[in-house]
Amino acid sequence: MYTYEKTRHKPIKVWSEKAEGGRERYKPVLDSVPITIRSIINRLSPEVLDGIEEFRLKAGAPFIIYGAGDSAYITGDGRISKDKAKAYIVTPDDTAKALQLMCDCSIYSIEDELRNGYITIRGGHRIGVVGKVVTEGSRVKTIKDISGLNIRISRQVTGCSSSLLPSLIRGRDSVYNTLIVSPPQCGKTTLLRDIIRQISDGIPALGFNGIKVGLVDERSELAGCYKGIPQNDMGIRTDILDACPKAQGMMMLIRSMSPRVIATDELGRPEDLVSIQEAINAGVNIITTVHGWSTKDIQNKPVIGKLMQDGVFERIVVLSRRKGPGTIEEVVNVSGGKKNSEFGGTRYDC
Amino acid sequence: MIVKVFGCLVIMVCATLAGFVLANGYKKRVRELRAFQQALQMLESEILYTSTPLPQAVDRTARSLAAPVNRIFAVVGKVLDSRTGCTAGEAWCMGVDQTKDLLSLDSEDIEIIRSFGKNLGSVDKENQEKSFTLAKYQLRAQQAKAEEERSKNERLYKNLGFLLGAALVILLI
């Protein structure tokens, strides 16, 4: 077991909130909401639009946006407000129409996705769905009478992992088994996405050759595949299994695509343990993430705790949003039961 | 005298043609009802078996159908592709409105086709299948009715046209 000691430094660089794309990035989002909502979003100022992480539409409730740890109501004429009374109230018709529009008016084609409670649209944005769940036996069959939608803006921040990568790569063509620990909405997926892209493309500045990466994107969140085509740049040597259960996907990739690194998001199911061990045995490195607040916090998690005890992970990156999303609390070098902490409280940059 | 004969001939030809046009309406209605059933069958397999997204599914259906029935599907495809915020149900209504004057169908047939569109693209496969089954069943019933009317009226209108023409000529002479 590790002893945990936190060191904090001043931030070196701050991740600018500006992601690529501008207003064009929102086109798929606008296409998937009804005209009423579309005209409201269109009237938002670019500064507001840039910082938005989530749009929330709930039938009969105010239209809310979330971004940078804060939330605000949106008025009918496209301004943000803290006053609930001025907010645009989303109608049941809005949510029903939005659901149809976001799947190209083909609800029948997204039954599988709906069963998981979210769908991915063009641009890699994800839309979470709640409503009345229809079950068949003990299995969720579908969701009907949709009451609420949460549109999560996918942002690819190219180069955000650059400051971190020197501590994650080993030589010219290998990486350390890395675990990214992060509370929700601290930029864990954004960071992992950029790490994958860079090690797959190669990093000339560090003399690192690109290596084959196998990505099991169970929740279609990393690559943001829309009809099998990644909407985010995942690097030229990345093979993606979209919407595939992690444990199975890892086995499939090891056998079929001979990856040097396997990347997945949010490890934690018992069956994942076997697959990770299989990958390690096959000489494949692992980069993965887990929900958690600190290294101490995750030691008690059944799967991750076991893997940490076995000394599988050589680098542990802990994120927080202490200084905004993407604050790197520490990077732990795990070697022979000892660990050195660095990077206290810096944000990954771009 | 020549003018008289010519005039009589013109009247006869016009009356007979009018009879044929009316009779042809019965034939066309049957043909269109059959085409709609075929179209729904195609759209159904695109939706149920290959889960093709609706814009592509209706485009494919439109391409493999003859005018004027394909127009509804072409309009739906175009409206959905333009992403103007119309749902499939609304696009379908537009398609029906833009096409109905070109069709030989009666208002009951149009109503069946219109109400089929209400569920289009907004329900899961199971319910989509039900609405296909219902629409096809109703169209088949309409087709049987149309065929009966056709066998009853087609010859009648053809003969009636000719006979009315003849009667008119006799009266005028």
Side-chain angles (χ1 to χ4, degrees):
Chain A
M1 281 288 173
Y2 309 110
T3 48
Y4 184 69
E5 208 176 291
K6 201 182 255 177
T7 50
R8 286 180 179 180
H9 300 287
K10 274 187 179 169
I12 313 172
K13 247 181 180 178
V14 167
W15 164 26
S16 124
E17 296 289 346
K18 252 192 233 154
E20 303 94 74
R23 211 164 264 265
E24 197 48 36
R25 196 156 52 99
Y26 288 91
K27 180 83 170 63
V29 174
L30 290 174
D31 283 345
S32 40
V33 292
I35 294 287
T36 42
I37 308 283
R38 207 180 283 190
S39 64
I40 293 174
I41 297 178
N42 261 330
R43 270 180 257 164
L44 289 172
S45 68
E47 300 83 61
V48 173
L49 206 54
D50 247 355
I52 294 178
E53 289 163 15
E54 287 180 4
F55 293 96
R56 285 180 166 265
L57 301 171
K58 194 157 84 181
F63 183 17
I64 308 179
I65 50 166
Y66 280 80
D70 200 7
S71 75
Y73 302 110
I74 301 200
T75 64
D77 51 2
R79 281 178 295 112
I80 56 170
S81 166
K82 286 281 176 194
D83 182 7
K84 200 165 98 183
K86 286 183 188 154
Y88 172 79
I89 304 294
V90 179
T91 65
D93 195 42
D94 285 336
T95 52
K97 271 192 181 171
L99 183 74
Q100 287 187 50
L101 292 172
M102 62 189 57
C103 61
D104 277 341
C105 300
S106 324
I107 305 257
Y108 55 83
S109 68
I110 54 155
E111 278 178 14
D112 291 338
E113 280 113 315
L114 220 46
R115 213 167 280 154
N116 296 328
Y118 65 85
I119 67 169
T120 307
I121 58 171
R122 279 172 304 116
H125 310 294
R126 290 209 334 183
I127 300 176
V129 177
V130 291
K132 181 169 166 42
V133 171
V134 183
T135 51
E136 200 173 49
S138 58
R139 198 168 136 266
V140 175
K141 196 171 155 230
T142 186
I143 303 178
K144 64 173 194 178
D145 304 333
I146 305 302
S147 62
L149 297 162
N150 174 21
I151 307 175
R152 291 181 71 178
I153 303 300
S154 146
R155 54 178 74 221
Q156 180 160 26
V157 186
T158 309
C160 68
S161 65
S162 294
S163 66
L164 197 60
L165 277 165
S167 20
L168 304 185
I169 60 175
R170 174 165 45 197
R172 295 174 62 82
D173 52 8
S174 177
V175 294
Y176 291 107
N177 295 330
T178 304
L179 176 68
I180 300 170
V181 183
S182 160
Q185 302 203 322
C186 291
K188 153 179 60 122
T189 306
T190 309
L191 181 65
L192 178 61
R193 190 183 292 140
D194 197 59
I195 292 175
I196 296 170
R197 183 186 64 82
Q198 296 219 38
I199 61 174
S200 167
D201 279 344
I203 314 158
L206 300 173
F208 185 77
N209 300 330
I211 52 177
K212 287 180 277 184
V213 182
L215 169 61
V216 189
D217 196 4
E218 182 168 1
R219 305 185 310 153
S220 305
E221 204 174 19
L222 281 158
C225 283
Y226 174 72
K227 300 196 192 307
I229 299 165
Q231 303 288 304
N232 291 315
D233 178 9
M234 298 311 293
I236 47 178
R237 293 179 189 83
T238 308
D239 301 307
I240 302 162
L241 275 181
D242 183 39
C244 180
K246 274 186 284 286
Q248 272 173 339
M250 283 190 265
M251 299 289 216
M252 283 163 74
L253 281 173
I254 293 167
R255 284 170 200 154
S256 60
M257 304 307 284
S258 71
R260 295 290 306 272
V261 183
I262 292 241
T264 69
D265 207 4
E266 299 187 6
L267 208 66
R269 272 191 234 122
E271 61 264 31
D272 297 344
L273 191 66
V274 184
S275 296
I276 291 280
Q277 279 158 348
E278 184 82 7
I280 298 291
N281 287 342
V284 178
N285 290 114
I286 304 289
I287 301 181
T288 188
T289 68
V290 65
H291 270 300
W293 302 86
S294 64
T295 42
K296 204 172 185 177
D297 181 34
I298 55 165
Q299 274 168 14
N300 302 324
K301 298 203 175 201
V303 175
I304 293 293
K306 173 84 172 65
L307 288 169
M308 282 175 72
Q309 266 175 19
D310 292 349
V312 166
F313 296 111
E314 295 156 298
R315 295 286 183 274
I316 299 172
V317 180
V318 184
L319 299 182
S320 76
R321 58 189 311 153
R322 190 152 58 93
K323 292 176 177 124
T327 306
I328 298 169
E329 283 290 339
E330 56 178 354
V331 177
V332 183
N333 292 342
V334 186
S335 45
K338 274 163 76 187
K339 63 165 207 163
N340 317 305
S341 299
E342 29 180 285
F343 272 97
T346 64
R347 288 185 73 195
Y348 59 70
D349 56 293
C350 62
Chain B
M1 186 61 196
I2 292 175
V3 178
K4 235 182 189 177
V5 170
F6 187 72
C8 289
L9 270 176
V10 168
I11 290 172
M12 289 292 290
V13 168
C14 287
T16 312
L17 274 180
F20 268 77
V21 167
L22 281 176
N24 203 27
Y26 288 97
K27 206 155 105 191
K28 264 181 150 167
R29 182 178 166 213
V30 174
R31 207 185 295 151
E32 282 164 15
L33 284 171
R34 207 177 289 144
F36 264 113
Q37 288 174 61
Q38 191 198 341
L40 292 189
Q41 186 61 55
M42 270 161 55
L43 192 61
E44 184 178 6
S45 38
E46 289 279 359
I47 287 177
L48 296 185
Y49 304 117
T50 51
S51 294
T52 316
L54 200 58
Q56 280 111 288
V58 289
D59 262 350
R60 270 181 220 169
T61 312
R63 260 182 276 135
S64 51
L65 284 173
V69 174
N70 69 351
R71 198 181 152 97
I72 291 190
F73 297 89
V75 170
V76 174
K78 215 163 100 191
V79 171
L80 292 184
D81 266 339
S82 64
R83 297 180 190 281
T84 45
C86 275
T87 61
E90 291 162 348
W92 184 264
C93 264
M94 274 185 221
V96 172
D97 286 338
Q98 288 180 29
T99 316
K100 65 177 182 200
D101 293 336
L102 306 171
L103 298 169
S104 310
L105 301 179
D106 69 11
S107 58
E108 211 177 318
D109 306 334
I110 296 286
E111 217 30 64
I112 291 169
I113 293 166
R114 195 189 292 277
S115 64
F116 160 76
K118 277 185 195 137
N119 269 348
L120 190 62
S122 64
V123 290
D124 59 3
K125 270 187 189 163
E126 202 181 311
N127 288 307
Q128 202 76 78
E129 190 175 6
K130 280 182 200 157
S131 71
F132 272 111
T133 313
L134 175 68
K136 283 192 298 184
Y137 173 76
Q138 287 173 322
L139 286 177
R140 205 170 320 128
Q142 289 299 101
Q143 190 194 329
K145 244 195 265 175
E147 262 163 10
E148 199 186 303
E149 275 176 36
R150 175 190 162 186
S151 65
K152 230 192 309 179
N153 297 332
E154 196 180 12
R155 183 165 296 170
L156 176 78
Y157 274 96
K158 279 181 187 167
N159 293 340
L160 206 63
F162 176 76
L163 290 174
L164 273 178
L168 210 60
V169 168
I170 290 166
L171 272 178
L172 288 175
I173 289 172

